[in-house]
Amino acid sequence: MSEKELGKKWDRCLADGAIKFGTGLGLGIVFSVLFFKRHTWPISLCSGAGLGMAFSNCQNDLRSSYLLHRSQKVGLCNKTHSN
Amino acid sequence: YTAGGSSGAAKVVAAGLLTVGGGVGGTILYAKWDHKFRAAVENNVPYSDWLLGLALGPAYQGDIMKQVRMDSQHVWVIIADSVVAPHTELPLRERPVEEVAARLAQQDQKEQDTLSSVSASLEECLASSAKATLQAIGAQEAAVQAITQHIHKLKEAMEAEVPPPEKSSQWKDLEAALADRTSAVNDAETALLKAKEALDSLKSEIDKSKGLKVSAVRPLVLAAEENLHNMVVDLDRVVTKLQSAESESKIVSQYSDLVNEAKLQFQREVSSLTPEIQANWKGLTGKLSADDLNALIAHAHRRIDQLNRELAEQRVREQIHIDASLEQQKLEDQKALEKAVLTAVQHIKEDTRLEQERKLSELREVMEAEMRTQLRRQAAAHTDHVQDVLKVQEQELRADAEQVLGSKLLEQETSYRQLSQEQLDNFTLDMNTAYARLKGMEEAIDSHVVAEEEARKAHQLWLSVEALNYSLKMADADSPTMPLESAAQAVRDSCHDNDFALALATALPEESLQRGVYSEASLRARFNALRALVRRVALVDETHNSLYQYFLSYLQAALLFEAKQEAPPGQLCSEDLDPFRLLSYASFCLEHGDLELAAKLVNQLRGEARRVVEDWLTEARLTLETRQVVSLLSAYANAVGLGTTQAP
């Protein structure tokens, strides 16, 4: 069902976003805890990165149907002598 | 015009009219008299028959013929009159062969009879006459012989100086001889008479048979005549001999008579002298005395004187006597000559006649033979000719008969052939009709069967199509129908000889067969569900497909309101291609059951909306396809069913 695809995509997006955000958050927290003396910027950075990645993924996912792959690219040639 | 001219013209006209009238009148009159002329005129001059009919009455058709017949009858009558009486009843009727033959046979028979009778009679007569003649001849000869004998004896007696006893014996012999002679002569005479009688009868017989005019008798007659002639000749000869002998004897007898007379005289004298002496020479010798002897001698002397005187007288009268006797003799000779000449002439005549007759008969025979040969030749020629003619006739007749036979046979054959052909044709016709009918019946039955089959098949098809239809209709709200494979298979089975239906059946989309199709209601519901989604992604397309666009399109969808359903126009313009509009149109169409138009309208979506709707569209297309095919099939099945159903 093509109409469910969008929904699925949104689900993936959300899921991916959540994961990426959570992972980013987690990593951010980890990084902030470990390396960046509990600053909040690695958390927001990583979560933001995560979100951004998720956004990008989501966008790509949503666009993916419009992307032309290399295999799909078809060359046009005018037939000069045809019967 | 001058009077003279007019009178001249009138004269010319009158003359012309007169001529014409005269010619016509003359023709008519002559035609009245001569029918042949009339016929000729009628033949040659047109309309003359009308004119002549008017003037004279119709021409006799049989007139000319009658004339001709009358003429011929006259001729026949004439001929008939000239013909012998028995033939008058039918002139010139050819006597039938049998009659002719009978007549000829009769004639032959008669001839034979006459011939036989004549020959018998002739033979008889001949025999009798021959006998008589022979007898006569014999008698005559005997008579001649007797006469000669007598004469001889007489001479002897007269001249011979024999002794008296012998003389008397001589005289006796003489008398005997005389008696013999007389008897012989008489016999000869009677025999002659008889012979003459017989000859006369023979002659009469011959004449009679000559009078019969039968040709076959002639040789007999001729022979008889010859015999007669011979006999007559012989008889005559003998008679002449006899006559000569008689004449001689007459002389001698005369002489002897004279002598006897003299003797008698002497005797008388002697007897007168010596009466007692018998007048017998023989007796004289022994009985005479000397006186007697002297008297006798004297007498004798006297006699001698007398005789001398007589002799002298006689010598004197000798010449006269001789002349007279010569005359007499001449006369007698003449007579005898005449008689002899006559008889000789007669004989010669007879001879010549007989010769002539013989020659004639020979000639006749020769002629007859020749005629016979000629007749035979003619007969042969005639038979040849007749044979030829008969042959030719036979050939002609045969040809004719064969022709007739051939034509008749041909006719018969053609008629027979025609009849048989007719019969055959009729039979063939009947057979053909029967066969045609049979064929028709068979065809009808077959067609019935076929029609039944077709009907059954159509029915089956219809049923299967109905089943298909039903299975199409029997779809739940959200799940597709059962796979149409079985129904389609059923349809395919029920129409495996029908290309159209088969094509249609195979045209069913694979998806529908395997998976089934969604019903319209489900599609409608789905569309309704889809609508919201399509509204939300209305702005997203190939170029604008970032998340921002998504956000914007979501925003638009939240803020834009369009009519729930809107009737689509007949033609879409560029403004109608707005997704919201399209959705409302499609919704309207769907609400009104027009899935096709809805699908068409939905097909106009572009971009992400399109992508979202793609499945629905496919489903709709599928459904539409299936529905189309099924509807076609059902229409076809209906048509076929209608076609095969027989109106009551």
Side-chain angles (χ1 to χ4, degrees), chain A residues 1-3 5 10 65-66, chain B residues 526 554 608 611-612 615:
Chain A
M1 299 270 190
S2 57
E3 64 261 24
E5 203 181 299
W10 281 125
S65 57
Y66 294 107
Chain B
R526 196 166 152 186
Y554 269 83
E608 187 62 35
R611 277 193 62 238
V612 157
D615 269 353

Side-chain angles (χ1 to χ4, degrees), chain B residues 441-460:
Chain B
M441 279 199 291
E442 266 184 15
E443 259 181 43
I445 291 169
D446 282 343
S447 68
H448 262 264
V449 162
V450 163
E452 288 264 343
E453 187 71 28
E454 285 293 312
R456 197 182 57 79
K457 272 201 210 138
H459 214 74
Q460 218 170 356

Side-chain angles (χ1 to χ4, degrees), chain B residues 23-40:
Chain B
V24 167
T27 317
I28 291 172
L29 279 171
Y30 190 59
K32 189 171 182 181
W33 184 65
D34 187 2
H35 296 279
K36 284 184 195 163
F37 173 72
R38 180 175 176 164

Side-chain angles (χ1 to χ4, degrees), chain B residues 190-238:
Chain B
T190 49
L192 184 71
L193 276 171
K194 253 197 263 176
K196 276 225 161 70
E197 237 179 68
L199 285 173
D200 282 337
S201 72
L202 179 64
K203 205 173 178 99
S204 68
E205 197 69 38
I206 285 170
D207 287 335
K208 205 170 58 177
S209 53
K210 259 206 234 168
L212 284 173
K213 287 190 184 187
V214 176
S215 58
V217 170
R218 252 185 234 118
L220 284 169
V221 164
L222 213 61
E225 270 185 358
E226 270 187 12
N227 280 337
L228 175 72
H229 176 66
N230 287 343
M231 285 191 279
V232 164
V233 162
D234 287 335
L235 213 62
D236 285 339
R237 207 169 352 112
V238 158

Side-chain angles (χ1 to χ4, degrees), chain B residues 126-202:
Chain B
L126 259 173
S128 65
S129 60
K131 212 166 46 175
T133 317
L134 278 169
Q135 244 180 9
I137 287 170
Q140 303 280 12
E141 292 267 318
V144 163
Q145 196 77 343
I147 287 172
T148 47
Q149 187 87 343
H150 176 246
I151 298 232
H152 185 71
K153 279 227 160 69
L154 198 63
K155 269 199 195 139
E156 237 183 54
M158 296 245 292
E159 286 161 11
E161 292 295 331
V162 294
E166 285 185 14
K167 204 131 199 154
S168 61
S169 68
Q170 226 178 25
W171 281 118
K172 274 202 194 94
D173 286 336
L174 197 67
E175 269 180 32
L178 179 69
D180 275 338
R181 176 201 154 153
T182 45
S183 70
V185 164
N186 285 340
D187 281 341
E189 204 122 318
T190 49
L192 184 71
L193 276 171
K194 253 197 263 176
K196 276 225 161 70
E197 237 179 68
L199 285 173
D200 282 337
S201 72
L202 179 64

Side-chain angles (χ1 to χ4, degrees), chain B residues 330-350:
Chain B
K330 254 193 216 150
L331 280 169
E332 276 185 11
D333 274 343
Q334 192 93 353
K335 256 193 264 174
L337 187 73
E338 272 179 16
K339 218 159 92 178
V341 161
L342 214 71
T343 47
V345 158
Q346 244 179 5
H347 285 171
I348 284 170
K349 251 198 232 169
E350 197 72 25

Side-chain angles (χ1 to χ4, degrees), chain B residues 14 19 41 91 93 112 233 254-255 303 326 378 460 465 586 615:
Chain B
T19 319
V41 164
R93 180 178 61 93
Q112 284 293 104
V233 162
Q254 265 185 349
Y255 173 64
R303 195 85 173 124
L326 265 174
Q378 206 174 44
Q460 218 170 356
V465 164
D615 269 353

